Amino acid sequence: MNLEQLLPTVVFALMAGLLIALALVVVTSRSVFRSAIALTGALGVVAGLFALMGADFVAAGQLLIYVGGIMIIMLFVIMLSQRPMAKADRQTNDQWLWGALFALAVTCGLIVQFRAVYRGIFSTTVSMPTTVSIGRLLLGDMVVPFEAVSLVLLAALVGAVYFGLDYEKPQ
């Protein structure tokens, strides 16, 4: 195996390790703000993995929609909820062992599936960018569904702000 074939594998392994570490910070951190920041990093690494596999449009969408949009919404909800940032709530429950066993089973299944298709992913050459053809499709034949999705995202923004506000109930 030469360096050109080994480099994508090493980069993938490093990014996968970083993604697992950030995901563990998301679920184990007692601070909601730290969890949100770690989730931003994890979603950014996922975008990097998409870019590594040649899915440039999906990587850009991941960065714009998830990292850029949804994380900003989440941070605004955290700030608007006016909860003390220093308060550390318990992040686990009594079912953590079953959750860990389920996560281990899913991980083993993913490893088996990944090993089955491993050679097919990295043996191909770098593909051509897909953004031009997808952009023409989205702003041509699919413009109405594309705009409908933007309305759904706007509704999610309004819902996030609504649920983030703390209304006092009348006595």
Side-chain angles (χ1 to χ4, degrees):
M1 185 179 267
N2 61 15
L3 184 62
E4 285 184 20
Q5 292 174 338
L6 186 63
L7 186 62
T9 305
V10 171
V11 171
F12 177 82
L14 290 174
M15 291 176 76
L18 180 61
L19 179 61
I20 290 170
L22 286 169
L24 285 173
V25 171
V26 170
V27 297
T28 60
S29 178
R30 292 182 177 257
S31 170
V32 177
F33 190 74
R34 283 190 190 121
S35 290
I37 296 299
L39 184 59
T40 303
L43 293 173
V45 172
V46 168
L49 288 171
F50 284 134
L52 183 66
M53 290 188 271
D56 55 341
F57 184 79
V58 178
Q62 176 81 15
L63 284 174
L64 290 174
I65 294 170
Y66 289 109
V67 176
I70 293 177
M71 290 309 301
I72 294 297
I73 292 170
M74 183 183 287
L75 292 177
F76 274 118
V77 168
I78 290 170
M79 288 187 281
L80 289 174
S81 68
Q82 298 177 357
R83 293 186 181 150
M85 297 304 280
K87 183 180 177 187
D89 293 333
R90 184 171 176 243
Q91 295 290 329
T92 60
N93 62 22
D94 296 333
Q95 301 296 322
W96 69 269
L97 181 61
W98 292 108
L101 290 174
F102 180 74
L104 181 65
V106 169
T107 302
C108 290
L110 287 173
I111 288 171
V112 168
Q113 290 298 318
F114 180 72
R115 291 184 73 190
V117 297
Y118 176 71
R119 288 193 173 98
I121 291 174
F122 292 116
S123 65
T124 61
T125 59
V126 177
S127 61
M128 297 301 294
T130 59
T131 52
V132 173
S133 58
I134 293 174
R136 286 187 179 136
L137 179 67
L138 285 178
L139 296 177
D141 297 338
M142 302 298 286
V143 71
V144 173
F146 183 69
E147 290 301 322
V149 169
S150 69
L151 290 175
V152 170
L153 289 174
L154 180 63
L157 171 67
V158 171
V161 170
Y162 176 76
F163 287 122
L165 295 177
D166 190 22
Y167 291 108
E168 293 184 22
K169 295 179 181 170
Q171 299 282 330

